[in-house]
Amino acid sequence: KLELPKMTPMAYATPLRGGVEVWKAEVRGSIEWAEKSGFRWLKMSTNDDTVVQLVRVVDNIIYTCDEKDLLRAYRDEVDANYNGEQTSRVLLQFMPQVMKCMHALPNFDGQLMRDERDCSYIYFSNGALRISAHNIALVKYSELPGCVFARHFKDFEYRQRAGTGDFGRFVGFVSADNDHKRFIQSCLGYILHHYKLRNYAKALMIIEDVEDQDEARGRSGKGLIAQFIEWIRWSVQQDG
């Protein structure tokens, strides 16, 4: 029974008279290798299909790439699987032309991760923290139902700890009572949760509790709350 190769080789030999072999690079094999390795074209514009970005998708993580990244991966593939003198020499000679073949790669058609109505996700270096009303769990990226950009990761390893953390204690310090504390926590949860109903959007404001509007009162915690939000989510500052 003839078994066909699972993937087209990146180089092949053509036998000539006298037992001589001529080795050539296989363009189709290089394209299949790149596709199997997770390289894709990501559309960056809804109006212009020619505006694309090379990415590599591994275990539901999207890494932004360029030509150097692809050539580095190509060389690693050659070193690991094509150690023969003829094959490796031919492939490395073909290496500068590999990028020209990548126009045949498919477009990224995967699903991007988004917050759901009943749960939110925060992306750490060691996994995605899935937060719902009744549970908090660290999930492997490979187990997510969608893909996440690596640039959205927080450069921090999440570790579950018992008790109230520093920021939780801070919220308690700036709260007038338990009802006020729950109100602040609810507001923070609304801000951090990316799922929003367009017909029920809210603008949250933090203001000083003073009677005289001309009286300046700082150091009450507004800036620390804003820094906390910026650390968890991407934000844009706009001076009033």
Side-chain angles (χ1 to χ4, degrees), residues 210-227:
V210 294
E211 296 181 357
D212 187 357
Q213 296 183 5
D214 295 329
E215 180 184 353
R217 288 183 57 188
R219 307 184 65 82
S220 59
K222 300 189 304 297
L224 290 176
I225 292 177
Q227 290 178 27

Side-chain angles (χ1 to χ4, degrees), residues 11-165:
Y12 67 95
T14 301
L16 301 178
R17 291 181 180 179
V20 179
E21 292 182 336
V22 176
W23 282 84
K24 294 183 179 179
E26 174 59 72
V27 174
R28 180 181 175 183
S30 297
I31 297 172
E32 288 185 11
W33 157 79
E35 183 176 352
K36 185 178 180 181
S37 299
F39 288 99
R40 299 287 189 275
W41 291 111
L42 177 66
K43 292 183 179 181
M44 304 299 290
S45 173
T46 57
N47 301 321
D48 189 351
D49 291 340
T50 63
V51 182
V52 293
Q53 168 67 55
L54 182 66
V55 298
R56 188 176 188 182
V57 184
V58 181
D59 292 335
N60 287 337
I61 302 175
I62 304 175
Y63 300 92
T64 302
C65 302
D66 56 19
E67 183 175 354
K68 292 182 180 179
D69 296 316
L70 184 132
L71 293 181
R72 189 180 301 111
Y74 180 91
R75 178 180 285 277
D76 292 342
E77 175 70 14
V78 172
D79 292 342
N81 298 294
Y82 293 88
N83 294 322
E85 180 180 352
Q86 292 284 355
T87 53
S88 60
R89 179 175 58 82
V90 169
L91 288 172
L92 292 178
Q93 286 179 345
F94 182 69
M95 185 174 172
Q97 306 175 52
V98 171
M99 194 65 187
K100 298 178 182 178
C101 310
M102 293 301 109
H103 66 276
L105 281 175
N107 290 330
F108 172 79
D109 59 356
Q111 180 180 352
L112 296 177
M113 282 296 300
R114 301 190 184 281
D115 283 0
E116 303 165 13
R117 184 179 186 127
D118 59 348
C119 70
S120 181
Y121 294 87
I122 300 176
Y123 305 110
F124 294 97
S125 59
N126 61 332
L129 192 65
R130 187 180 189 274
I131 305 170
S132 63
H134 306 291
N135 186 44
I136 297 176
L138 191 66
V139 183
K140 294 180 179 179
Y141 287 106
S142 58
E143 299 174 354
L144 292 176
C147 298
V148 183
F149 284 96
R151 64 174 182 265
H152 291 169
F153 292 1
K154 303 304 300 182
D155 187 18
F156 182 84
E157 288 193 3
Y158 174 81
R159 293 287 183 268
Q160 182 71 44
R161 293 182 174 86
T164 303

